[in-house]
């Protein structure tokens, strides 16, 4: 049943509910840990957000008073953020944003002019403390670009932009992917299967397309490695033909770009099912691995893998680079994805063939079909 | 007295000598520390290099056997690298390289074609262990771009490219800058004064222009902070008029772009004086700060500042991004600039006004004229 609320509002309500649910799931899992810090913020140029961030204060921090100095929390650092922002996009940010978006062709001719935009999304990165528990990321987002005649935001309150005009372009993007330091094949299978099952009611092509897209997107060419063991990724999903789907060929005898959700309402329904799958896709894995005994060498390997995570996010991730280029972006929220600590070694002796560390390197170098 | 050797060879000989001298200076300073690892390498696509890297093996590494587990070395991680490479540059790397280079205008029309290039340089980053001792970076480099008729490299041995043709373009770049976690004003003055004095014989405008350029280049817009307390930086230095010098205005009543070195030989003489100034600009500072007692909180602040160093190098540094984009680049050498460990905190409580940490933040937010 279609809602008669504007899509902007439907997305805003959903991501807000999902954020609460996810933060709550982590707090319930580890009741003796400090609570997530919840920061509501307003963007002076238009919009608002809520950042929910977990960290244990460093022993030297004044805030550490009540904490045990040797942290035993399940999480090491985590952020679950939402933002609902609008304003004018500078050309560099438009370029960062529109990588594959066909319907924005008209922009090139006028690349110096800023365009009104609306963007709402939830973005989370969870770095657990135990080296055997994987890092996870998820992000679901909705964009609108208006043409210049749009009066979005002018004269209205920051969180209530004018929304009376059909957008010049709109699209959804998102995904979720897992980054273990140590490979546990059942975890990879569980994570992928949960996402596949959530996508299935919305089209048979979705999981196969999104899985491959994830392997391609979360890739560090300079390392010849994927960031993690994959999951799902999609972008530029709207009512137009989509070149990634078109290029995928057929699934179950039907072109992949047929039979996928196309209307805003249908795509939002899919996004909700994927977003709701986050907790069941990840929390059982975290529960199972969080008490695995580990050595100093395994902690060292985890920090080395976190170095690669930093490399991907700062060098390649479009969301992060979009944030860095957006004037007035809340940098502390954009960079909450970075781990508490990371390590770099010149030609590390860890990760060679035949070792537990090498097992994960092998699947990063050659993405695997986890579900057959 | 001008050498009759080709410029490529003169540069190669100089950076090789300078590398030995610098590595030796660090080894003499800390004789009980492990030696730098010296890795000579050959680039399959053309060229060679030598990476000299310092690190103390992690206690869990098989190599740690002979080391005390609680490292007390002066350095924590350091790399002093040279590379002398040639080949064809892909368009993305050409764009990364030519940011301000006027004489490469012709490239746009043919941006899909690769061009033969030669590049030789020395690049170093030193991360000392003590939080009161600053990180330092220096880099001096020489580029040539040939036109397509050039047969550079084809048929000749990797380190001896054909060099009979006048290059389509050539230029020098380089600089040296200091990144303290804690501010010691006398250190900043010593570092800047040493570089100013080395540049002085080559033109009165050099230090003022290079100093300002350094403050502008090593800047993180998303943090509103410089990477460090500056030093010198220059790029695209050749015999053509230079827009950065021209834009600087007058120094001592003369246009800055007049009276600076223009011929390859004159610029190389300047580069040699600057390169030779590295050891006297930095080693006395390191000697003085290496035994300063420090706390766990100061170590934490150092790791937070190293996080910013990682952000600059991965997000903005042209040399690093050039390396990441160059096929066949030796990634472990490109990324030797990254610290052994780095840390990120969401809205850290460190660095506020009125603290020792805040002192350095203040000069990063507002670059200072150290020499008056």
């Amino acid at each position: 049943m279609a809602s008669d609320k504007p899509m902007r509002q439907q997305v805003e309500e959903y991501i807000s509910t999902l954020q609460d649910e996810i933060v709550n799931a982590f707090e319930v899992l580890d009741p003796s840990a400090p609570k997530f810090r919840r920061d509501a913020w307003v963007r002076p140029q238009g919009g608002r957000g809520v950042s929910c961030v977990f960290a244990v204060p460093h022993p030297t921090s004044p805030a550490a008073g009540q904490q045990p100095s040797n942290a035993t929390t399940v999480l090491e650092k985590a952020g679950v953020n939402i933002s609902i922002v609008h304003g004018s996009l500078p050309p560099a940010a438009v370029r960062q944003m529109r990588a594959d978006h066909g319907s924005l062709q008209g922009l090139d001719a006028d690349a110096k002019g800023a365009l009104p935009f609306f963007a709402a999304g939830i973005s989370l990165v969870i770095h657990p403390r135990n080296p055997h528990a994987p890092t996870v990321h998820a992000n679901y987002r909705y964009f609108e670009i208006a043409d210049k005649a749009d009066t979005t935001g002018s004269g209205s309150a920051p969180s209530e932009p004018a929304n009376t005009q059909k957008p010049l372009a709109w699209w959804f993007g998102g995904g979720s992917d897992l980054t273990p330091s140590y490979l546990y094949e059942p975890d990879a299978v569980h994570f992928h299967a949960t996402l596949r099952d959530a996508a299935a009611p919305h089209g048979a092509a979705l999981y196969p397309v999104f899985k491959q897209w994830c392997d391609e997107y979360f890739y560090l060419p300079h390392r010849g490695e994927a960031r993690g063991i994959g999951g799902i990724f999609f972008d530029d999903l709207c009512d137009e033909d989509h070149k990634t789907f078109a290029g995928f060929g057929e699934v179950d005898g039907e072109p992949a770009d047929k039979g996928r959700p196309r209307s805003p309402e249908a795509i939002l329904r899919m996004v909700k099912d994927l977003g709701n799958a986050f907790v069941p896709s990840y929390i059982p894995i975290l529960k199972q691995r969080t008490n695995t005994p580990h050595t100093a060498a395994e902690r060292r390997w985890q920090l080395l893998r976190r170095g690669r995570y930093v490399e991907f996010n700062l060098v390649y991730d479009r969301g992060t680079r979009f944030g860095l280029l957006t004037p007035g972006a809340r940098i502390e929220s954009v960079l909450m994805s970075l781990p508490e600590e990371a390590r770099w070694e010149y030609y590390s002796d860890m990760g060679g063939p035949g070792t537990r560390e090498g097992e994960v390197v092998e699947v990063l170098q050659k993405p695997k079909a986890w579900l057959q």
Side-chain angles (χ1 to χ4, degrees), chain A:
Chain A
M1 217 166 57
S3 163
D4 54 4
K5 290 178 187 166
M7 185 49 55
R8 293 179 176 202
Q9 189 185 338
Q10 291 185 57
V11 172
E12 178 169 354
E13 288 174 3
Y14 174 64
I15 59 179
S16 188
T17 305
L18 182 61
Q19 181 186 37
D20 285 344
E21 186 189 306
I22 291 172
V23 170
N24 187 52
F26 287 112
E27 290 185 340
V28 165
L29 182 68
D30 194 7
S32 64
K35 297 290 166 205
F36 278 63
R37 169 173 165 180
R38 287 158 169 84
D39 284 350
W41 50 269
V42 170
R43 181 172 176 266
Q45 297 90 336
R48 65 172 195 95
V50 181
S51 290
C52 298
V53 178
F54 178 89
V56 177
H58 190 276
T60 66
S61 161
Q66 321 92 306
Q67 315 297 339
S69 74
N70 228 334
T72 54
T73 53
V74 170
L75 302 185
E76 184 162 298
K77 189 169 172 221
V80 184
N81 298 349
I82 63 168
S83 68
I84 305 99
V85 299
H86 61 270
S88 277
L89 267 184
V94 173
R95 271 190 294 273
Q96 200 67 37
M97 173 188 241
R98 59 178 288 245
D100 293 319
H101 200 66
S103 68
L104 292 179
Q105 287 145 347
L107 287 190
D108 268 337
D110 192 20
K112 280 180 186 165
L115 286 176
F117 77 99
F118 170 89
I122 182 167
S123 183
L124 66 89
V125 175
I126 311 293
H127 295 291
R129 196 171 290 283
N130 192 300
H132 297 277
T135 286
V136 71
H137 159 254
N139 167 237
Y140 295 99
R141 55 193 182 274
Y142 172 68
F143 283 98
E144 285 181 12
I145 302 274
D147 71 26
K148 302 206 174 184
D150 193 331
T151 55
T152 299
S154 65
S156 52
S159 62
E160 297 168 285
N163 186 27
T164 51
Q165 219 177 319
K166 197 172 176 297
L168 184 68
W170 61 268
W171 68 96
F172 285 88
S176 184
D177 67 292
L178 200 69
T179 305
S181 297
Y182 286 94
L183 186 65
Y184 290 92
E185 190 152 336
D187 295 356
V189 171
H190 169 79
F191 186 76
H192 277 264
T194 308
L195 293 169
R196 176 199 58 194
D197 295 348
H202 305 276
L206 297 181
Y207 173 75
V209 172
F210 292 174
K211 192 273 184 201
Q212 180 178 309
W213 205 342
C214 187
D215 288 337
E216 288 166 4
Y217 177 79
F218 291 105
Y219 186 73
L220 292 83
H222 68 274
R223 296 289 191 181
E225 280 181 2
R227 182 172 81 171
I229 58 92
I232 59 170
F233 181 85
F234 60 94
D235 205 355
D236 301 320
L237 220 58
C238 63
D239 52 3
E240 297 169 32
D241 291 345
H242 196 294
K243 70 177 186 194
T244 305
F245 277 88
F248 194 85
E250 300 202 335
V251 175
D252 294 351
E254 196 182 41
D257 206 23
K258 272 202 143 189
R260 65 160 176 92
R262 293 223 171 198
S263 70
E265 289 73 22
I267 300 174
L268 179 61
R269 279 194 298 272
M270 176 199 79
V271 163
K272 285 182 175 180
D273 281 344
L274 293 173
N276 295 343
F278 173 76
V279 167
S281 75
Y282 181 65
I283 294 277
I285 297 172
L286 181 58
K287 254 187 193 156
Q288 175 150 19
R289 303 299 165 203
T290 195
N291 293 316
T292 307
H294 67 272
T295 65
E298 288 166 345
R299 170 66 173 166
R300 172 182 163 215
W301 176 245
Q302 181 190 42
L303 293 179
L304 290 168
R305 298 315 306 174
R306 288 189 172 163
R308 302 295 170 96
Y309 208 85
V310 170
E311 289 175 27
F312 180 84
N313 286 21
L314 294 181
V315 178
Y316 301 109
D317 185 59
R318 273 169 51 203
T320 305
R321 295 186 69 82
F322 174 74
L324 296 178
L325 288 170
T326 304
R330 192 172 192 262
I331 286 304
E332 294 282 347
S333 297
V334 172
L335 295 181
M336 65 81 196
S337 66
L338 301 180
E340 185 172 86
E341 293 199 13
R343 181 176 174 89
W344 284 269
E345 296 177 7
Y346 175 80
Y347 285 109
S348 178
D349 56 77
M350 300 194 90
T355 64
R356 270 294 271 146
E357 291 76 26
E359 267 177 43
V360 77
V361 172
E362 208 174 303
V363 300
L364 299 179
Q365 289 172 346
K366 202 173 166 220
K368 201 164 160 175
W370 299 104
L371 311 176
Q372 290 300 358

